[in-house]
Every structure is written in structure tokens, then in C-alpha cells.
Amino acid sequence: MRPPRRTATWWTVGVIALSVVFLAPLAVMVLGSLQRPLQPPPNGLDLWPDPAEWANYPAVARFMPLGGLLLNSLLLVVLAVPVTVAVTSMAGLAIVTARGTARRLLVGVSVLTLLVPAATLWVPRVVLLRGVGLADTPFTVALLALAGTTPFYVLLFALAYSRIPRSLLEAATLEGMSPFAVWRRVALPLARPAAVAVAALAGLYYWSTFMDPLTLVSSPGNWPAALGLRTLSEMEVALYPIYLAAAVLVTAPALLAFGVAQRSFFSSVERR
């Protein structure tokens, strides 16, 4: 049944308004990256570059080793995202298959852990990773994926698994399938939309995070692109077009990946 025409019109208007709100900062960033650097500030609002200074993009390499930083970010995402999906999907299945008090305890622990401020974990992480000799490497931040990155992803998988008939999981167990086989061959394929969503969210998190690398990685050669970009924010205002050009180059892969993940998410939902 189609919604009334008036409702559909207001829905379209709302989507366009939200799109403008979220796309406006990206548009300002792109237009600002094309301004001419080392110029006095304009008297008013001057967003449209005339002429466009495309040389700002190759000039980024003079201020930061962008290629190496992007490679570090790519390796971080490639390592952390599959581990995050695997760990959180297994934990979510453990919550759903638990019974009674055990299930309520697992959900309560997950929610309680989610409420813990991230800043309280910075020092313990540094101490722990330095103690085992795993601090200050290109892969240090990816180790956070072994803890599932965030309990929110566990709860998201638990919600997705709760929609699967419990009798189906029990039948798979009665057929002699191990818990790992039930997860890999039954539960995870049926929760594909949740897996795509968690992969997209985790990928954006590891691509854009700079606080975790700031506390865990001290060597600039091991920094991801987001942390390298953060250091450029201290440039003098007259060089901000180059900083914005670097921001565009760092943001573009994340937007492209998010678009691909969004398409995969909706296609997986339609198949269900």
C-alpha cells in the first residue's frame, strides 16, 4: 500500500532538508580547498573560489606524507573491520542463545560497558599494550577490534539474531552442528544486513579515529591519515586551503566506501 501523496511529498522534503544539512559542511570543505592560500581574509563570506586553485592538492605532499598515512589507515581498516564483525557477531549470538538470567546478565554487562566513557580506557590501554610490547606499531589500534571495538555492535547483532526463530538455531544444533558452524552457516548469513551495517560503522570509525592513535602510537610513521590530518589543523590560517585539500583527500575514500556499504546494505535487506 502506497503512502498518501501528501505524506510522500513531506517525506521527500524532509530527506532533501536533511541532505542539505549534512552535505553543507562537505561542500564548504571542497570549496575551501580550492581557495588561493597565503591571501588576506575576505571582508565577507567568500565561498566560491575565483579562480579555483587546484594546485592545493599536490601541495599537500609538501606538508604531510599523505600516501604513507593513507596506507596505514587502509591496513588498519582491513585488519580491524573483519575482526570486529567476527567478534561482535559471535558475542551477539551468545547473548541470544543464552537463557533466563544468563541472557539478562550478558545484556546488562554490554549496556554497562557501553556507558563507560572512552577517556577512562586510554591510560589502561597504553599500560597494557606497552606491557606486552605491542604499543607504537601500525597495527596497535587494530588490536581494539579483539574487544569488539564497542558493545553497541554486540547489541546490534543480538537484536538482529533475536529475529531468527529460535527453533531454527536449535534444529541446527540437534543436527550435530558445532556452535561455530551454527554461527557461520546459519546465524551470520541470516544477519547479513547487521553485518554490513557493523562493517560500515567500524570502517568509518577506524578510518576517522585520531584519539586512539594519539594515545597508542607515538611514531609519526605509524600514524593513520586522520591523526596526520589533525596535526595540519595547527597550520596558520593563511594555509588553511591546503589543510582543507588534505581533508578532502582523506574524506573521499571513506565516503566512497560508505556509499558502497549503503548499497550493499539495502540490497541485502531487499533479498530478505
Tab-separated table of all heavy atoms in Angstrom, residues 203-267:
chain	number	residue	atom	x	y	z
A	203	GLY	N	34.328	0.496	9.890
A	203	GLY	CA	35.272	1.050	8.928
A	203	GLY	C	35.394	2.556	9.045
A	203	GLY	O	36.495	3.113	9.016
A	204	LEU	N	34.253	3.243	9.186
A	204	LEU	CA	34.288	4.693	9.365
A	204	LEU	C	34.978	5.071	10.666
A	204	LEU	O	35.704	6.074	10.730
A	204	LEU	CB	32.867	5.257	9.333
A	204	LEU	CG	32.159	5.223	7.975
A	204	LEU	CD1	30.727	5.708	8.118
A	204	LEU	CD2	32.902	6.066	6.950
A	205	TYR	N	34.750	4.272	11.709
A	205	TYR	CA	35.378	4.582	12.995
A	205	TYR	C	36.898	4.479	12.894
A	205	TYR	O	37.625	5.406	13.307
A	205	TYR	CB	34.857	3.632	14.067
A	205	TYR	CG	35.602	3.769	15.383
A	205	TYR	CD1	35.282	4.796	16.263
A	205	TYR	CD2	36.628	2.892	15.719
A	205	TYR	CE1	35.973	4.944	17.461
A	205	TYR	CE2	37.321	3.030	16.911
A	205	TYR	CZ	36.985	4.052	17.778
A	205	TYR	OH	37.688	4.190	18.955
A	206	TYR	N	37.402	3.376	12.361
A	206	TYR	CA	38.852	3.187	12.310
A	206	TYR	C	39.502	4.109	11.283
A	206	TYR	O	40.685	4.429	11.414
A	206	TYR	CB	39.188	1.723	12.013
A	206	TYR	CG	39.024	0.838	13.226
A	206	TYR	CD1	37.918	0.009	13.368
A	206	TYR	CD2	39.969	0.854	14.246
A	206	TYR	CE1	37.753	-0.786	14.489
A	206	TYR	CE2	39.807	0.065	15.371
A	206	TYR	CZ	38.712	-0.759	15.491
A	206	TYR	OH	38.550	-1.533	16.611
A	207	TRP	N	38.766	4.516	10.272
A	207	TRP	CA	39.341	5.450	9.300
A	207	TRP	C	39.452	6.857	9.880
A	207	TRP	O	40.392	7.590	9.576
A	207	TRP	CB	38.500	5.467	8.032
A	207	TRP	CG	39.090	6.308	6.938
A	207	TRP	CD1	38.860	7.627	6.680
A	207	TRP	CD2	40.042	5.878	5.957
A	207	TRP	NE1	39.583	8.053	5.610
A	207	TRP	CE2	40.328	6.994	5.140
A	207	TRP	CE3	40.669	4.663	5.691
A	207	TRP	CZ2	41.214	6.919	4.070
A	207	TRP	CZ3	41.547	4.596	4.626
A	207	TRP	CH2	41.813	5.709	3.844
A	208	SER	N	38.496	7.242	10.716
A	208	SER	CA	38.431	8.627	11.172
A	208	SER	C	38.972	8.849	12.579
A	208	SER	O	39.158	10.002	12.983
A	208	SER	CB	36.975	9.120	11.131
A	208	SER	OG	36.160	8.336	11.993
A	209	THR	N	39.226	7.789	13.335
A	209	THR	CA	39.666	7.990	14.708
A	209	THR	C	41.077	8.577	14.755
A	209	THR	O	41.951	8.196	13.965
A	209	THR	CB	39.632	6.672	15.497
A	209	THR	OG1	40.028	6.929	16.862
A	209	THR	CG2	40.584	5.641	14.906
A	210	PHE	N	41.274	9.516	15.658
A	210	PHE	CA	42.624	10.041	15.885
A	210	PHE	C	42.990	10.029	17.368
A	210	PHE	O	44.167	10.117	17.715
A	210	PHE	CB	42.772	11.458	15.313
A	210	PHE	CG	41.983	12.508	16.034
A	210	PHE	CD1	42.511	13.192	17.118
A	210	PHE	CD2	40.705	12.830	15.628
A	210	PHE	CE1	41.779	14.162	17.783
A	210	PHE	CE2	39.966	13.801	16.274
A	210	PHE	CZ	40.510	14.463	17.361
A	211	MET	N	41.991	9.899	18.264
A	211	MET	CA	42.310	9.858	19.686
A	211	MET	C	42.989	8.554	20.073
A	211	MET	O	43.947	8.551	20.865
A	211	MET	CB	41.048	10.070	20.516
A	211	MET	CG	40.549	11.496	20.547
A	211	MET	SD	41.811	12.695	21.084
A	211	MET	CE	42.289	12.028	22.676
A	212	ASP	N	42.522	7.430	19.533
A	212	ASP	CA	43.169	6.156	19.833
A	212	ASP	C	44.607	6.119	19.320
A	212	ASP	O	45.522	5.749	20.066
A	212	ASP	CB	42.352	4.995	19.254
A	212	ASP	CG	41.044	4.788	19.993
A	212	ASP	OD1	41.025	4.991	21.222
A	212	ASP	OD2	40.045	4.438	19.347
A	213	PRO	N	44.879	6.483	18.064
A	213	PRO	CA	46.283	6.537	17.625
A	213	PRO	C	47.101	7.563	18.407
A	213	PRO	O	48.290	7.353	18.645
A	213	PRO	CB	46.180	6.937	16.145
A	213	PRO	CG	44.814	6.564	15.743
A	213	PRO	CD	43.952	6.738	16.941
A	214	LEU	N	46.471	8.669	18.809
A	214	LEU	CA	47.200	9.696	19.547
A	214	LEU	C	47.720	9.171	20.874
A	214	LEU	O	48.811	9.530	21.306
A	214	LEU	CB	46.301	10.910	19.769
A	214	LEU	CG	46.926	12.123	20.465
A	214	LEU	CD1	48.048	12.701	19.611
A	214	LEU	CD2	45.859	13.187	20.740
A	215	THR	N	46.947	8.290	21.520
A	215	THR	CA	47.354	7.756	22.823
A	215	THR	C	48.184	6.481	22.702
A	215	THR	O	48.958	6.163	23.605
A	215	THR	CB	46.120	7.460	23.677
A	215	THR	OG1	45.245	6.563	22.971
A	215	THR	CG2	45.361	8.745	23.988
A	216	LEU	N	48.029	5.746	21.598
A	216	LEU	CA	48.680	4.439	21.489
A	216	LEU	C	49.895	4.422	20.571
A	216	LEU	O	50.738	3.537	20.693
A	216	LEU	CB	47.664	3.401	20.982
A	216	LEU	CG	46.446	3.142	21.872
A	216	LEU	CD1	45.474	2.197	21.174
A	216	LEU	CD2	46.874	2.565	23.211
A	217	VAL	N	49.975	5.368	19.633
A	217	VAL	CA	51.037	5.354	18.618
A	217	VAL	C	51.798	6.668	18.701
A	217	VAL	O	51.209	7.741	18.530
A	217	VAL	CB	50.450	5.165	17.203
A	217	VAL	CG1	51.571	5.094	16.181
A	217	VAL	CG2	49.587	3.908	17.147
A	218	SER	N	53.086	6.580	18.960
A	218	SER	CA	53.890	7.789	19.104
A	218	SER	C	54.748	8.100	17.880
A	218	SER	O	55.122	9.255	17.672
A	218	SER	CB	54.802	7.672	20.342
A	218	SER	OG	55.631	6.527	20.241
A	219	SER	N	55.066	7.102	17.057
A	219	SER	CA	55.910	7.329	15.886
A	219	SER	C	55.079	7.886	14.737
A	219	SER	O	54.105	7.245	14.318
A	219	SER	CB	56.583	6.025	15.450
A	219	SER	OG	57.394	5.509	16.484
A	220	PRO	N	55.425	9.060	14.200
A	220	PRO	CA	54.637	9.632	13.094
A	220	PRO	C	54.538	8.718	11.883
A	220	PRO	O	53.539	8.765	11.161
A	220	PRO	CB	55.393	10.921	12.759
A	220	PRO	CG	56.097	11.288	14.031
A	220	PRO	CD	56.482	9.981	14.660
A	221	GLY	N	55.541	7.879	11.661
A	221	GLY	CA	55.480	6.976	10.518
A	221	GLY	C	54.417	5.910	10.637
A	221	GLY	O	54.052	5.289	9.636
A	222	ASN	N	53.921	5.677	11.851
A	222	ASN	CA	52.879	4.670	12.075
A	222	ASN	C	51.487	5.282	12.231
A	222	ASN	O	50.541	4.558	12.513
A	222	ASN	CB	53.210	3.848	13.326
A	222	ASN	CG	54.488	3.049	13.178
A	222	ASN	OD1	54.857	2.663	12.074
A	222	ASN	ND2	55.164	2.799	14.284
A	223	TRP	N	51.378	6.580	12.075
A	223	TRP	CA	50.093	7.248	12.259
A	223	TRP	C	49.139	6.918	11.113
A	223	TRP	O	49.563	6.764	9.963
A	223	TRP	CB	50.275	8.758	12.301
A	223	TRP	CG	50.865	9.273	13.577
A	223	TRP	CD1	51.135	8.555	14.710
A	223	TRP	CD2	51.270	10.615	13.840
A	223	TRP	NE1	51.667	9.367	15.666
A	223	TRP	CE2	51.763	10.641	15.163
A	223	TRP	CE3	51.254	11.793	13.094
A	223	TRP	CZ2	52.244	11.809	15.749
A	223	TRP	CZ3	51.731	12.953	13.675
A	223	TRP	CH2	52.214	12.955	14.996
A	224	PRO	N	47.843	6.850	11.386
A	224	PRO	CA	46.861	6.817	10.297
A	224	PRO	C	46.632	8.221	9.751
A	224	PRO	O	47.098	9.213	10.318
A	224	PRO	CB	45.596	6.265	10.989
A	224	PRO	CG	45.739	6.687	12.414
A	224	PRO	CD	47.212	6.675	12.711
A	225	ALA	N	45.874	8.294	8.658
A	225	ALA	CA	45.693	9.580	7.983
A	225	ALA	C	44.952	10.583	8.848
A	225	ALA	O	45.229	11.782	8.795
A	225	ALA	CB	44.946	9.360	6.668
A	226	ALA	N	43.995	10.120	9.657
A	226	ALA	CA	43.210	11.053	10.474
A	226	ALA	C	44.087	11.794	11.476
A	226	ALA	O	43.906	12.993	11.706
A	226	ALA	CB	42.093	10.304	11.206
A	227	LEU	N	45.047	11.087	12.071
A	227	LEU	CA	45.937	11.744	13.029
A	227	LEU	C	46.900	12.681	12.319
A	227	LEU	O	47.201	13.775	12.818
A	227	LEU	CB	46.698	10.698	13.841
A	227	LEU	CG	47.616	11.238	14.942
A	227	LEU	CD1	46.862	12.156	15.883
A	227	LEU	CD2	48.252	10.088	15.712
A	228	GLY	N	47.391	12.278	11.154
A	228	GLY	CA	48.230	13.184	10.379
A	228	GLY	C	47.483	14.435	9.973
A	228	GLY	O	48.043	15.544	9.997
A	229	LEU	N	46.218	14.283	9.619
A	229	LEU	CA	45.401	15.445	9.275
A	229	LEU	C	45.193	16.343	10.485
A	229	LEU	O	45.160	17.573	10.358
A	229	LEU	CB	44.057	14.978	8.721
A	229	LEU	CG	43.073	16.052	8.269
A	229	LEU	CD1	43.660	16.842	7.098
A	229	LEU	CD2	41.750	15.416	7.863
A	230	ARG	N	45.054	15.741	11.644
A	230	ARG	CA	44.867	16.526	12.875
A	230	ARG	C	46.055	17.445	13.126
A	230	ARG	O	45.886	18.580	13.589
A	230	ARG	CB	44.664	15.577	14.054
A	230	ARG	CG	44.616	16.238	15.420
A	230	ARG	CD	43.403	17.127	15.549
A	230	ARG	NE	43.313	17.753	16.863
A	230	ARG	CZ	43.988	18.826	17.243
A	230	ARG	NH1	44.794	19.415	16.380
A	230	ARG	NH2	43.833	19.330	18.445
A	231	THR	N	47.259	17.007	12.804
A	231	THR	CA	48.436	17.856	13.017
A	231	THR	C	48.443	19.055	12.068
A	231	THR	O	48.988	20.100	12.414
A	231	THR	CB	49.719	17.033	12.820
A	231	THR	OG1	49.773	16.520	11.479
A	231	THR	CG2	49.764	15.858	13.797
A	232	LEU	N	47.823	18.898	10.879
A	232	LEU	CA	47.784	20.023	9.940
A	232	LEU	C	46.829	21.120	10.392
A	232	LEU	O	46.903	22.242	9.890
A	232	LEU	CB	47.358	19.536	8.548
A	232	LEU	CG	48.389	18.781	7.714
A	232	LEU	CD1	47.857	18.577	6.311
A	232	LEU	CD2	49.716	19.505	7.667
A	233	SER	N	45.929	20.801	11.314
A	233	SER	CA	44.985	21.812	11.776
A	233	SER	C	45.677	22.933	12.535
A	233	SER	O	45.077	23.980	12.782
A	233	SER	CB	43.923	21.175	12.673
A	233	SER	OG	44.507	20.647	13.856
A	234	GLU	N	46.945	22.740	12.905
A	234	GLU	CA	47.705	23.766	13.601
A	234	GLU	C	48.418	24.718	12.653
A	234	GLU	O	49.175	25.579	13.089
A	234	GLU	CB	48.722	23.104	14.536
A	234	GLU	CG	48.072	22.177	15.577
A	234	GLU	CD	49.095	21.427	16.411
A	234	GLU	OE1	50.313	21.617	16.150
A	234	GLU	OE2	48.691	20.656	17.294
A	235	MET	N	48.189	24.561	11.353
A	235	MET	CA	48.797	25.459	10.372
A	235	MET	C	48.241	26.872	10.545
A	235	MET	O	47.156	27.070	11.089
A	235	MET	CB	48.532	24.965	8.952
A	235	MET	CG	49.083	23.590	8.644
A	235	MET	SD	48.525	22.966	7.030
A	235	MET	CE	49.316	24.120	5.923
A	236	GLU	N	48.981	27.845	10.059
A	236	GLU	CA	48.483	29.215	10.108
A	236	GLU	C	47.275	29.360	9.195
A	236	GLU	O	47.107	28.619	8.222
A	236	GLU	CB	49.582	30.184	9.694
A	236	GLU	CG	50.148	29.955	8.303
A	236	GLU	CD	51.243	30.941	7.976
A	236	GLU	OE1	50.888	32.081	7.614
A	236	GLU	OE2	52.423	30.572	8.080
A	237	VAL	N	46.416	30.300	9.516
A	237	VAL	CA	45.132	30.436	8.826
A	237	VAL	C	45.307	30.657	7.327
A	237	VAL	O	44.503	30.176	6.523
A	237	VAL	CB	44.337	31.595	9.454
A	237	VAL	CG1	43.027	31.811	8.707
A	237	VAL	CG2	44.074	31.325	10.929
A	238	ALA	N	46.363	31.334	6.924
A	238	ALA	CA	46.563	31.622	5.504
A	238	ALA	C	46.800	30.352	4.684
A	238	ALA	O	46.639	30.361	3.463
A	238	ALA	CB	47.739	32.577	5.327
A	239	LEU	N	47.179	29.238	5.341
A	239	LEU	CA	47.423	27.980	4.642
A	239	LEU	C	46.260	27.002	4.787
A	239	LEU	O	46.394	25.841	4.412
A	239	LEU	CB	48.712	27.332	5.170
A	239	LEU	CG	50.012	28.075	4.861
A	239	LEU	CD1	51.191	27.387	5.545
A	239	LEU	CD2	50.249	28.147	3.355
A	240	TYR	N	45.155	27.469	5.321
A	240	TYR	CA	44.030	26.566	5.538
A	240	TYR	C	43.484	25.940	4.256
A	240	TYR	O	42.937	24.830	4.312
A	240	TYR	CB	42.923	27.286	6.306
A	240	TYR	CG	42.850	26.829	7.747
A	240	TYR	CD1	44.014	26.629	8.480
A	240	TYR	CD2	41.629	26.585	8.362
A	240	TYR	CE1	43.969	26.209	9.791
A	240	TYR	CE2	41.575	26.160	9.685
A	240	TYR	CZ	42.748	25.983	10.391
A	240	TYR	OH	42.703	25.548	11.690
A	241	PRO	N	43.546	26.569	3.084
A	241	PRO	CA	43.102	25.867	1.866
A	241	PRO	C	43.850	24.564	1.625
A	241	PRO	O	43.261	23.583	1.162
A	241	PRO	CB	43.367	26.887	0.759
A	241	PRO	CG	43.221	28.204	1.440
A	241	PRO	CD	43.798	27.994	2.808
A	242	ILE	N	45.139	24.526	1.970
A	242	ILE	CA	45.900	23.281	1.820
A	242	ILE	C	45.436	22.252	2.844
A	242	ILE	O	45.328	21.055	2.550
A	242	ILE	CB	47.405	23.570	1.955
A	242	ILE	CG1	47.853	24.490	0.815
A	242	ILE	CG2	48.215	22.274	1.956
A	242	ILE	CD1	49.295	24.896	0.885
A	243	TYR	N	45.152	22.710	4.058
A	243	TYR	CA	44.613	21.810	5.077
A	243	TYR	C	43.276	21.230	4.635
A	243	TYR	O	43.012	20.022	4.796
A	243	TYR	CB	44.469	22.572	6.394
A	243	TYR	CG	43.626	21.864	7.424
A	243	TYR	CD1	44.044	20.662	7.994
A	243	TYR	CD2	42.401	22.400	7.829
A	243	TYR	CE1	43.268	20.014	8.937
A	243	TYR	CE2	41.617	21.754	8.766
A	243	TYR	CZ	42.053	20.564	9.322
A	243	TYR	OH	41.287	19.927	10.251
A	244	LEU	N	42.412	22.044	4.049
A	244	LEU	CA	41.119	21.558	3.574
A	244	LEU	C	41.285	20.614	2.387
A	244	LEU	O	40.504	19.663	2.231
A	244	LEU	CB	40.222	22.731	3.197
A	244	LEU	CG	39.781	23.619	4.357
A	244	LEU	CD1	38.966	24.806	3.845
A	244	LEU	CD2	38.959	22.816	5.359
A	245	ALA	N	42.289	20.859	1.543
A	245	ALA	CA	42.560	19.930	0.447
A	245	ALA	C	42.969	18.568	0.990
A	245	ALA	O	42.539	17.524	0.486
A	245	ALA	CB	43.649	20.496	-0.460
A	246	ALA	N	43.799	18.560	2.033
A	246	ALA	CA	44.163	17.300	2.672
A	246	ALA	C	42.941	16.624	3.286
A	246	ALA	O	42.782	15.400	3.220
A	246	ALA	CB	45.223	17.549	3.746
A	247	ALA	N	42.040	17.421	3.859
A	247	ALA	CA	40.816	16.866	4.435
A	247	ALA	C	39.954	16.208	3.363
A	247	ALA	O	39.355	15.156	3.595
A	247	ALA	CB	40.037	17.955	5.150
A	248	VAL	N	39.881	16.816	2.192
A	248	VAL	CA	39.109	16.228	1.093
A	248	VAL	C	39.716	14.893	0.679
A	248	VAL	O	39.000	13.897	0.470
A	248	VAL	CB	39.054	17.193	-0.100
A	248	VAL	CG1	38.445	16.505	-1.321
A	248	VAL	CG2	38.249	18.431	0.253
A	249	LEU	N	41.032	14.841	0.559
A	249	LEU	CA	41.704	13.613	0.143
A	249	LEU	C	41.536	12.497	1.173
A	249	LEU	O	41.458	11.316	0.809
A	249	LEU	CB	43.188	13.884	-0.098
A	249	LEU	CG	43.516	14.825	-1.265
A	249	LEU	CD1	45.002	15.117	-1.313
A	249	LEU	CD2	43.043	14.215	-2.584
A	250	VAL	N	41.470	12.840	2.441
A	250	VAL	CA	41.294	11.833	3.485
A	250	VAL	C	39.835	11.403	3.590
A	250	VAL	O	39.533	10.240	3.877
A	250	VAL	CB	41.798	12.376	4.839
A	250	VAL	CG1	41.466	11.417	5.974
A	250	VAL	CG2	43.302	12.603	4.789
A	251	THR	N	38.916	12.320	3.331
A	251	THR	CA	37.492	12.032	3.471
A	251	THR	C	36.944	11.255	2.285
A	251	THR	O	36.031	10.426	2.447
A	251	THR	CB	36.696	13.338	3.636
A	251	THR	OG1	37.229	14.085	4.732
A	251	THR	CG2	35.228	13.071	3.891
A	252	ALA	N	37.466	11.488	1.098
A	252	ALA	CA	36.908	10.884	-0.118
A	252	ALA	C	36.854	9.355	-0.053
A	252	ALA	O	35.811	8.769	-0.394
A	252	ALA	CB	37.698	11.350	-1.337
A	253	PRO	N	37.912	8.638	0.353
A	253	PRO	CA	37.799	7.167	0.408
A	253	PRO	C	36.728	6.693	1.371
A	253	PRO	O	36.037	5.704	1.094
A	253	PRO	CB	39.204	6.734	0.874
A	253	PRO	CG	40.102	7.858	0.506
A	253	PRO	CD	39.274	9.095	0.670
A	254	ALA	N	36.562	7.384	2.502
A	254	ALA	CA	35.537	6.985	3.469
A	254	ALA	C	34.139	7.163	2.882
A	254	ALA	O	33.261	6.308	3.062
A	254	ALA	CB	35.682	7.792	4.751
A	255	LEU	N	33.904	8.265	2.170
A	255	LEU	CA	32.598	8.483	1.549
A	255	LEU	C	32.322	7.439	0.475
A	255	LEU	O	31.192	6.936	0.350
A	255	LEU	CB	32.533	9.885	0.945
A	255	LEU	CG	32.514	11.050	1.933
A	255	LEU	CD1	32.509	12.372	1.176
A	255	LEU	CD2	31.309	10.965	2.853
A	256	LEU	N	33.338	7.100	-0.303
A	256	LEU	CA	33.172	6.091	-1.348
A	256	LEU	C	32.832	4.733	-0.729
A	256	LEU	O	31.908	4.040	-1.184
A	256	LEU	CB	34.436	5.997	-2.188
A	256	LEU	CG	34.439	4.946	-3.305
A	256	LEU	CD1	33.334	5.256	-4.310
A	256	LEU	CD2	35.800	4.895	-3.997
A	257	ALA	N	33.573	4.361	0.317
A	257	ALA	CA	33.313	3.081	0.979
A	257	ALA	C	31.929	3.059	1.619
A	257	ALA	O	31.225	2.044	1.588
A	257	ALA	CB	34.391	2.804	2.031
A	258	PHE	N	31.522	4.189	2.206
A	258	PHE	CA	30.202	4.251	2.828
A	258	PHE	C	29.100	4.107	1.782
A	258	PHE	O	28.078	3.450	2.021
A	258	PHE	CB	30.033	5.570	3.571
A	258	PHE	CG	28.733	5.683	4.315
A	258	PHE	CD1	28.564	5.050	5.534
A	258	PHE	CD2	27.687	6.422	3.785
A	258	PHE	CE1	27.358	5.142	6.218
A	258	PHE	CE2	26.489	6.523	4.468
A	258	PHE	CZ	26.329	5.878	5.687
A	259	GLY	N	29.291	4.714	0.601
A	259	GLY	CA	28.301	4.562	-0.457
A	259	GLY	C	28.162	3.125	-0.923
A	259	GLY	O	27.053	2.620	-1.136
A	260	VAL	N	29.298	2.431	-1.059
A	260	VAL	CA	29.260	1.018	-1.448
A	260	VAL	C	28.576	0.182	-0.368
A	260	VAL	O	27.754	-0.695	-0.661
A	260	VAL	CB	30.689	0.500	-1.717
A	260	VAL	CG1	30.678	-1.001	-1.951
A	260	VAL	CG2	31.294	1.222	-2.915
A	261	ALA	N	28.905	0.449	0.905
A	261	ALA	CA	28.292	-0.302	2.002
A	261	ALA	C	26.798	-0.045	2.084
A	261	ALA	O	26.018	-0.960	2.358
A	261	ALA	CB	28.967	0.068	3.323
A	262	GLN	N	26.385	1.196	1.841
A	262	GLN	CA	24.959	1.518	1.877
A	262	GLN	C	24.204	0.755	0.800
A	262	GLN	O	23.117	0.207	1.050
A	262	GLN	CB	24.761	3.017	1.698
A	262	GLN	CG	23.314	3.475	1.817
A	262	GLN	CD	23.160	4.955	1.525
A	262	GLN	OE1	23.786	5.480	0.614
A	262	GLN	NE2	22.340	5.639	2.297
A	263	ARG	N	24.772	0.683	-0.377
A	263	ARG	CA	24.117	-0.060	-1.461
A	263	ARG	C	24.053	-1.538	-1.119
A	263	ARG	O	23.028	-2.196	-1.362
A	263	ARG	CB	24.889	0.153	-2.763
A	263	ARG	CG	24.259	-0.503	-3.971
A	263	ARG	CD	24.993	-0.137	-5.238
A	263	ARG	NE	24.368	-0.729	-6.408
A	263	ARG	CZ	24.794	-0.555	-7.651
A	263	ARG	NH1	25.847	0.219	-7.891
A	263	ARG	NH2	24.182	-1.139	-8.659
A	264	SER	N	25.124	-2.079	-0.549
A	264	SER	CA	25.126	-3.487	-0.152
A	264	SER	C	24.107	-3.748	0.945
A	264	SER	O	23.447	-4.787	0.967
A	264	SER	CB	26.528	-3.893	0.315
A	264	SER	OG	26.554	-5.234	0.751
A	265	PHE	N	23.958	-2.798	1.873
A	265	PHE	CA	23.008	-2.956	2.969
A	265	PHE	C	21.580	-3.049	2.437
A	265	PHE	O	20.818	-3.943	2.796
A	265	PHE	CB	23.142	-1.790	3.939
A	265	PHE	CG	22.108	-1.778	5.026
A	265	PHE	CD1	22.245	-2.579	6.145
A	265	PHE	CD2	20.990	-0.959	4.930
A	265	PHE	CE1	21.286	-2.576	7.133
A	265	PHE	CE2	20.034	-0.945	5.927
A	265	PHE	CZ	20.177	-1.754	7.036
A	266	PHE	N	21.195	-2.132	1.561
A	266	PHE	CA	19.827	-2.126	1.062
A	266	PHE	C	19.562	-3.336	0.162
A	266	PHE	O	18.447	-3.879	0.158
A	266	PHE	CB	19.538	-0.833	0.303
A	266	PHE	CG	19.319	0.348	1.203
A	266	PHE	CD1	20.228	1.396	1.222
A	266	PHE	CD2	18.221	0.394	2.033
A	266	PHE	CE1	20.024	2.487	2.077
A	266	PHE	CE2	18.008	1.482	2.880
A	266	PHE	CZ	18.917	2.524	2.907
A	267	SER	N	20.572	-3.778	-0.587
A	267	SER	CA	20.364	-4.960	-1.420
A	267	SER	C	20.182	-6.206	-0.556
A	267	SER	O	19.377	-7.078	-0.879
A	267	SER	CB	21.545	-5.143	-2.365
A	267	SER	OG	22.749	-5.383	-1.648
